[in-house]
Structure formats: C-alpha cells, structure tokens
Amino acid sequence: MENGRFVTYTDKDRDIVRKGICEIAKVLLGDDTQRKLSMPFCLDWFMDPYYQQDISDIHDDLVLLLQTVITEPNEDDVIEDAIELLMSYELPPFPLIEEKRNRIPLKFQDDIAYLLDPKSFEE
C-alpha cells in the first residue's frame, strides 16, 4: 500500500463537530494538517445516515464549508476528502463549486464534473 494513508479521529474531533460549524471551519481552513486530515474522516461518521447522527442544525453550512474547502487553496488530500463527502452524502447543485470551478486543481476536475452532474455519467 504505497500511496495509502492512515487516518483516525478521536473524541476531540467529535467534540469539535458537536461545537458547530465555526469550530469545524477553524480546523478545515486552518494550518494543522494532521487535524485537517482527521476532520473529514470524523465528518463521514456524522454524515453517514447509518450512524444516525443529527447534524441538521449545521447541515447547510457544512455543505457550503466543504465546497469552500474544495475551491480554496488546501492540501490535496483534504480537497479529495471533501469531494468524497459531497459525492457520498449530498446531491447537486453545488453553486460555490460551479462559480469557482476554475480555482480547483486540474487533477480533481473529473471528480468535480461527476459531482456537479452525476446523471451525465449514467449509461
């Protein structure tokens, strides 16, 4: 597993999510790379319906924050994880991504095309 990575999250990460969108944004838009890599993994637990976590109070802000993570300079792994979260748990439209698509690194453009219009990839 040459290109694999090992990421975990802790109760501290869950506490950050429970504190709300401002605290999540501080992590995802901050400078602590390790914490930034942990946060999307933790968010996956909150966003996955299987785990029945109620994040309805921050849902819309979280979707916007994930779009911001994708469209602003950030570590590639964090951008990739944000794309994966939106692909897995949300449906378009994603207006911020549409508006700022040209800011997203070229290596993610195929995923962005799918994210913005998944039906165009159906056979």
Side-chain angles (χ1 to χ4, degrees):
M1 199 157 43
E2 206 172 301
N3 293 327
R5 59 184 164 124
F6 179 76
V7 178
T8 67
Y9 62 91
T10 65
D11 287 338
K12 182 176 180 176
D13 295 299
R14 287 184 187 176
D15 290 342
I16 289 169
V17 174
R18 289 183 180 114
K19 286 179 183 176
I21 199 68
C22 291
E23 295 302 312
I24 299 168
K26 284 180 190 176
V27 171
L28 289 176
L29 302 174
D31 296 327
D32 184 342
T33 300
Q34 195 57 44
R35 177 95 30 223
K36 287 167 79 167
L37 292 171
S38 296
M39 186 54 57
F41 189 50
C42 181
L43 287 170
D44 184 67
W45 184 76
F46 279 92
M47 294 176 78
D48 190 328
Y50 177 82
Y51 297 106
Q52 301 178 359
Q53 299 299 305
D54 182 12
I55 58 167
S56 58
D57 58 327
I58 65 167
H59 175 266
D60 293 345
D61 292 331
L62 181 57
V63 171
L64 183 59
L65 175 59
L66 292 171
Q67 291 179 73
T68 301
V69 167
I70 293 166
T71 58
E72 297 299 323
N74 216 323
E75 288 87 348
D76 284 354
D77 288 338
V78 178
I79 293 171
E80 182 178 354
D81 290 345
I83 291 169
E84 282 294 322
L85 286 171
L86 291 177
M87 276 187 193
S88 296
Y89 303 115
E90 302 299 327
L91 295 170
F94 300 109
L96 186 61
I97 292 173
E98 289 174 7
E99 176 187 332
K100 297 182 177 184
R101 186 173 183 174
N102 63 333
R103 293 184 183 185
I104 301 168
L106 185 59
K107 67 193 278 179
F108 298 114
Q109 288 299 325
D110 288 344
D111 288 336
I112 294 302
Y114 179 83
L115 183 64
L116 294 175
D117 190 11
K119 291 184 179 195
S120 70
F121 288 82
E122 293 177 358
E123 292 185 283

